[in-house]
Amino acid sequence: MASYRNGPKVADGLEERYAAIKAAQPQQEQHYAAWLASGTVNCQGYEEMAAALGLALDVASGTISYTDAFQAPSLPFELWYCRHGKTTGNTEPRVYQGYVDEPSNALNEVGLQQAQDAADKLEALGLDPDLVVLSPLARAADTGKAFLERKKTFPQDRVLTWESCAEMRFGDWDNMMVKDMPTDSICHLFYLGQNAVVKSSGLYVDPSNGNTVP
């Protein structure tokens, strides 16, 4: 039998699997330290990029914090952000879902309804944007389009798709089920330790055309 919590389906044994992964965090951190020591990671470059933004990067743990030099950007406009609805990929057993656009990354039945619910709320607020910016990934673009469908006369030249709005790239971790990744893999530090440095050394291969995504 399978159990349900807060809606998503949780397969038998999944909680135990996640507990084993969490218990292996010390081993994951050892592998991460070895990865840093290998010389393949531009630690100084990462630190300099963070400092330029008023952030402090602790490479040893991969964590980021604000410094006294940080200044929040002052925007001459009001910015509204709407996250995409639910997909099969972020339903248990979840996957690393980054810069991928396979069928499993599209909005599922729940996500499609969430997109409509978000559109209802935005419409009820009387939102009349000057510009709508969409991600190139379908799950996010379709969430935004649910709102645009209510705005039949909205000028199409004010609807833009920006590559910079897409999700981050996880390389060959993308669309891999978290439960199926090696227990001691450094990939788990991304969510267990909020490690912003850790990344895969491999490339994601789009199964539809064989192209790689750097």
Side-chain angles (χ1 to χ4, degrees):
M1 295 291 292
S3 61
Y4 291 81
R5 289 190 179 177
N6 299 324
K9 187 176 182 180
V10 179
D12 283 337
L14 196 56
E15 289 186 1
E16 291 82 358
R17 174 59 183 149
Y18 286 157
I21 290 172
K22 182 173 177 58
Q25 189 169 346
Q27 290 74 41
Q28 298 156 12
E29 291 171 347
Q30 289 176 3
H31 290 312
Y32 173 70
W35 179 62
L36 292 179
S38 69
T40 60
V41 186
N42 184 6
C43 298
Q44 182 178 351
Y46 287 160
E47 290 172 339
E48 291 174 351
M49 284 191 291
L53 298 171
L55 303 173
L57 170 62
D58 177 18
V59 175
S61 65
T63 54
I64 296 174
S65 59
Y66 293 111
T67 68
D68 293 339
F70 176 79
Q71 292 184 346
S74 177
L75 301 178
F77 53 85
E78 192 173 77
L79 177 65
W80 290 65
Y81 174 84
C82 182
R83 191 182 189 282
H84 67 76
K86 200 168 193 61
T87 71
T88 301
N90 58 21
T91 301
E92 296 292 5
R94 68 186 185 279
V95 302
Y96 271 89
Q97 184 169 253
Y99 195 92
V100 283
D101 228 357
E102 297 178 34
S104 63
N105 308 121
L107 297 178
N108 59 17
E109 184 176 351
V110 174
L112 290 169
Q113 184 58 55
Q114 289 174 330
Q116 292 299 326
D117 292 344
D120 287 342
K121 293 180 179 180
L122 293 173
E123 191 174 36
L125 290 169
L127 188 64
D128 184 23
D130 296 311
L131 180 69
V132 173
V133 178
L134 304 174
S135 162
L137 301 178
R139 59 186 181 271
D142 289 346
T143 300
K145 289 174 182 177
F147 171 72
L148 289 171
E149 288 172 359
R150 319 289 182 90
K151 305 284 185 180
K152 299 297 186 183
T153 61
F154 194 82
Q156 289 304 298
D157 61 351
R158 285 162 50 191
V159 180
L160 304 180
T161 299
W162 289 359
E163 182 75 16
S164 58
C165 290
E167 177 61 277
M168 66 184 291
R169 292 162 167 78
F170 288 113
D172 60 4
W173 297 345
D174 254 326
N175 265 1
M176 291 288 293
M177 286 192 177
V178 173
K179 71 179 182 65
D180 294 335
M181 305 292 276
T183 303
D184 60 353
S185 170
I186 61 175
C187 71
H188 302 297
L189 295 175
F190 177 76
Y191 62 92
L192 288 177
Q194 290 72 57
N195 189 311
V197 176
V198 67
K199 66 178 181 178
S200 170
S201 59
L203 300 177
Y204 167 75
V205 179
D206 187 335
S208 67
N209 53 30
N211 293 337
T212 58
V213 177

